[in-house]
Amino acid sequence: MARSSARLDPQLQAPARLKLMTMMTAVSEIEFATLRDALEVTDSVLSKHVSLLASEGYVKSRKGTHAGRRTTWISITAAGRRVLSSHVAALRQIIDGVD
Amino acid sequence: MESRPTPDEAAGTLDEARAAAVRLARELQLPSHFHSSVGVAIALQIGTSAVGIAAQDGWPAWLVVVGLAVFAAVAAVQLVRFRRLNGAWVWAVANQVVLGSGTAATLTYCLAFTAALLAAFGGLWWLVVLAAVAGGIGYVRCGQLWLRRYRNDPVGRAHRESTVVFALAGLVAATGLVLLVAGH
């Protein structure tokens, strides 16, 4: 990846949000409770992360059903994917000692 | 935490995030009889299509439709079960494992279908069955191999598609079909 595209994103500096975004790239869409269990956080903590990332346009959520109950399905956006890629590239530059 | 992380912090954060994605991918389960049902449906589709196309008219021609309908039904049911079981949806699983859009699965299918079709035109019914069964087994095996790679590298695999290869293989198969039917 080109150095110019590498940029640390302030929202992804929190390890939990970086983890959440990386997990979102492994699936196309994930149900709220499944993501909560995978991240091992509470409903309120996940809600805050998702709300913040959604307000930045990095993820989107929609109401749906799962196993017969109403729930929220979350997916990463194209913008979120680009920001994550750039953030990961910046972290790799730091690891490699590139200024 | 908005300051620039140290190299150790950056490495730790990245490793943790990637490990979480791998864990998530490995926890995704397949519904019961997932691979076997897809394999049987593909074998059935190859066999019925070959026989139906070779027959060209009369009731055997409807076998083409029956085979496609059975495969579509099996694919739909298994994908709905996958989503319900996991609380997650992965387009790449649908494309690569069920619809066989991976290069190996596409080529396996095309080879098996061509062999079955040639056998059907030649009236070699035992060879039609053999080609269809081999195609079903090969198709499933390709899906299993892709799933293994996905579980080891979900971030790199979840959105990698080979639609160009899929389209090209389809074009080749369609052209072959037209030529075979025209020659018949």
Side-chain angles (χ1 to χ4, degrees):
Chain A
M1 181 170 294
R3 282 183 60 189
S4 59
S5 68
R7 190 181 70 84
L8 287 175
D9 185 276
Q11 306 303 346
L12 301 187
Q13 295 252 38
R17 284 198 287 273
L18 176 64
K19 193 193 283 188
L20 187 158
M21 289 285 283
T22 307
M23 289 169 80
M24 296 299 303
T25 62
V27 294
S28 303
E29 193 174 44
I30 191 165
E31 189 253 337
F32 185 91
T34 306
L35 185 58
R36 177 202 62 203
D37 294 345
L39 276 168
E40 297 175 326
V41 295
T42 61
D43 283 359
S44 61
V45 167
L46 180 57
S47 278
K48 282 178 190 167
H49 286 316
V50 170
S51 295
L52 192 145
L53 292 170
S55 70
E56 295 288 333
Y58 297 172
V59 300
K60 60 183 176 187
S61 61
R62 67 173 180 86
K63 296 294 178 192
T65 57
H66 179 242
R69 60 183 167 77
R70 289 189 62 76
T71 186
T72 301
W73 288 82
I74 305 153
S75 58
I76 190 169
T77 63
R81 204 176 290 280
R82 280 195 299 274
V83 167
L84 176 64
S85 178
S86 170
H87 185 81
V88 168
L91 288 176
R92 290 218 170 99
Q93 286 184 359
I94 291 170
I95 295 167
D96 294 340
V98 179
D99 289 324
Chain B
M1 181 187 156
E2 295 199 5
S3 59
R4 188 180 166 87
T6 65
D8 283 346
E9 286 170 343
T13 309
L14 261 186
D15 286 348
E16 198 180 328
R18 190 163 280 271
V22 169
R23 239 184 350 262
L24 175 65
R26 289 182 178 171
E27 282 172 4
L28 293 179
Q29 297 174 352
L30 295 177
S32 57
H33 309 298
F34 185 83
H35 287 304
S36 56
S37 63
V38 169
V40 168
I42 278 292
L44 193 69
Q45 192 273 321
I46 289 173
T48 52
S49 292
V51 172
I53 290 169
Q56 290 198 333
D57 50 18
W59 69 265
W62 284 98
L63 287 174
V64 178
V65 178
V66 171
L68 285 170
V70 168
F71 174 70
V74 168
V77 167
Q78 290 294 27
L79 288 173
V80 167
R81 291 178 72 210
F82 176 87
R83 185 174 179 271
R84 189 178 298 161
L85 181 66
N86 293 295
W89 175 249
V90 187
W91 270 111
V93 168
N95 288 337
Q96 298 274 343
V97 183
V98 179
L99 300 180
S101 70
T103 307
T106 304
L107 291 176
T108 299
Y109 176 87
C110 288
L111 278 173
F113 186 68
T114 303
L117 198 56
L118 289 171
F121 274 119
L124 301 169
W125 307 117
W126 63 271
L127 193 53
V128 173
V129 174
L130 190 66
V133 170
I137 292 170
Y139 193 94
V140 164
R141 188 72 189 127
C142 292
Q144 289 171 328
L145 289 173
W146 183 87
L147 262 180
R148 189 183 298 168
R149 288 194 287 267
Y150 165 73
R151 283 174 169 146
N152 289 326
D153 178 24
V155 176
R157 297 272 168 191
H159 298 277
R160 189 179 298 165
E161 299 300 331
S162 53
T163 46
V164 174
V165 173
F166 186 61
L168 281 175
L171 189 66
V172 169
T175 307
L177 264 176
V178 169
L179 290 174
L180 277 169
V181 171
H184 188 67

